[in-house]
């Protein structure tokens, strides 16, 4: 259950405070869309959104892109009700599109350990795309356990759990327009 009290919310009994407001996110998403529109001019890239967390970022990003583009989705196993990664990646939904010789941009909500993105890049590379790049809204560099290279990054953030703007806590909180960070004091 989510209860909103000004700039904080309580989800599953834990308090989160606003960390990035919707205007700040929107400005950054526009910047990334501008960069993609420049870098892929004359091409028709295909965005591969990673469900479920990336759906809001992807929708906003695509609406600001000014070149022809396509979209498809894949889904990996989530953290379930935990806030800590199990370190294991499992594919729950495959892409439907044929990406051979296509310009592919993987769109993720957040790169934490990097294990998911590492797996995705290896997996998609097997389909022999013309190019493969990444657009991620959030990156936690201090949590990184891989050397995955990220091409478009919205924000580099502290190694703390966040919800909102598509990101959940045990499936709750995705609808929140701002991004919230766990407040360890809980006050
Ligand atoms: P990684 O494989 O990089 O450790 O984790 C990637 C996935 O873990 C993300 O797509 C996201 O679903 C989830 N995740 C990582 N950190 C957070 C976080 O702070 N909040 C939420 N809601 N999900 C996270």
């Amino acid at each position: 259950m989510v209860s909103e009290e000004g700039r904080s919310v309580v989800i599953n009994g834990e308090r989160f405070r606003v960390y990035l407001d919707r205007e700040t996110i929107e400005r950054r998403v526009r910047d990334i869309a501008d960069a993609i529109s420049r870098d892929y001019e004359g091409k028709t890239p295909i965005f591969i959104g990673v469900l479920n967390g990336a759906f809001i970022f992807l929708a906003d990003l695509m609406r600001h892109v000014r070149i022809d583009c396509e979209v498809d989705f894949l889904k990996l196993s989530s953290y379930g009700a935990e806030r800590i990664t199990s370190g294991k990646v499992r594919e729950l939904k495959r892409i439907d599109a044929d990406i051979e010789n296509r310009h592919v941009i993987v769109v993720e909500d957040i790169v934490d350990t990097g294990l998911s993105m590492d797996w995705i890049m290896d997996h998609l590379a097997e389909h022999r795309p013309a190019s493969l790049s990444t657009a991620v809204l959030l990156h936690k560099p201090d949590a990184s356990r891989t050397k995955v290279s990220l091409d478009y990054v919205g924000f580099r953030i502290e190694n703390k759990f966040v919800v909102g703007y598509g990101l959940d806590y045990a499936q709750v909180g995705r609808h929140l327009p701002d991004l919230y960070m766990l407040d360890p004091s809980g006050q």
Side-chain angles (χ1 to χ4, degrees):
M1 178 62 85
V2 176
S3 66
E4 194 143 6
E5 299 154 26
R7 294 182 60 84
S8 77
V9 290
V10 176
I11 304 176
N12 299 324
E14 307 214 50
R15 185 168 297 278
F16 292 76
R17 294 197 185 279
V18 172
Y19 182 66
L20 296 171
D21 62 32
R22 60 199 81 180
E23 292 82 11
T24 305
I25 296 171
E26 150 125 46
R27 276 196 299 275
R28 194 69 192 114
V29 172
R30 275 181 191 271
D31 287 347
I32 295 174
D34 286 347
I36 290 174
S37 302
R38 277 195 306 272
D39 296 348
Y40 287 82
E41 196 170 355
K43 300 175 178 145
T44 304
I46 177 161
F47 292 103
I48 307 282
V50 184
L51 295 171
N52 291 337
F55 80 109
I56 290 183
F57 173 43
L58 175 59
D60 284 349
L61 185 67
M62 278 190 82
R63 277 179 287 193
H64 293 307
V65 162
R66 297 182 313 275
I67 53 171
D68 285 351
C69 56
E70 297 177 21
V71 68
D72 197 6
F73 296 93
L74 62 78
K75 183 169 184 173
L76 304 181
S77 54
S78 74
Y79 288 10
E82 306 302 319
R83 293 202 313 258
I84 308 294
T85 182
S86 66
K88 294 203 185 76
V89 177
R90 212 157 46 87
E91 192 176 38
L92 300 179
K93 184 210 169 295
R94 290 163 186 241
I95 53 168
D96 297 310
D98 178 1
I99 58 167
E100 189 170 346
N101 292 323
R102 298 295 309 275
H103 295 284
V104 172
I105 305 173
V106 179
V107 181
E108 253 285 38
D109 53 354
I110 185 164
V111 170
D112 184 16
T113 63
L115 293 169
S116 308
M117 190 56 100
D118 230 25
W119 187 93
I120 292 166
M121 297 303 269
D122 284 352
H123 175 72
L124 294 182
E126 288 171 11
H127 296 255
R128 289 178 300 185
S131 69
L132 188 53
S133 69
T134 53
V136 307
L137 180 71
L138 305 164
H139 181 212
K140 294 182 188 170
D142 295 343
S144 184
R145 286 205 244 152
T146 66
K147 290 203 165 44
V148 72
S149 83
L150 304 174
D151 299 286
Y152 305 96
V153 178
F155 303 93
R156 294 198 163 77
I157 66 167
E158 297 165 57
N159 190 8
K160 289 188 187 157
F161 193 78
V162 289
V163 295
Y165 197 72
L167 291 102
D168 72 307
Y169 180 15
Q171 297 306 326
V172 182
R174 293 191 198 277
H175 69 289
L176 297 165
D178 305 295
L179 187 84
Y180 292 75
M181 186 171 272
L182 182 66
D183 181 351
S185 75
Q187 302 301 301

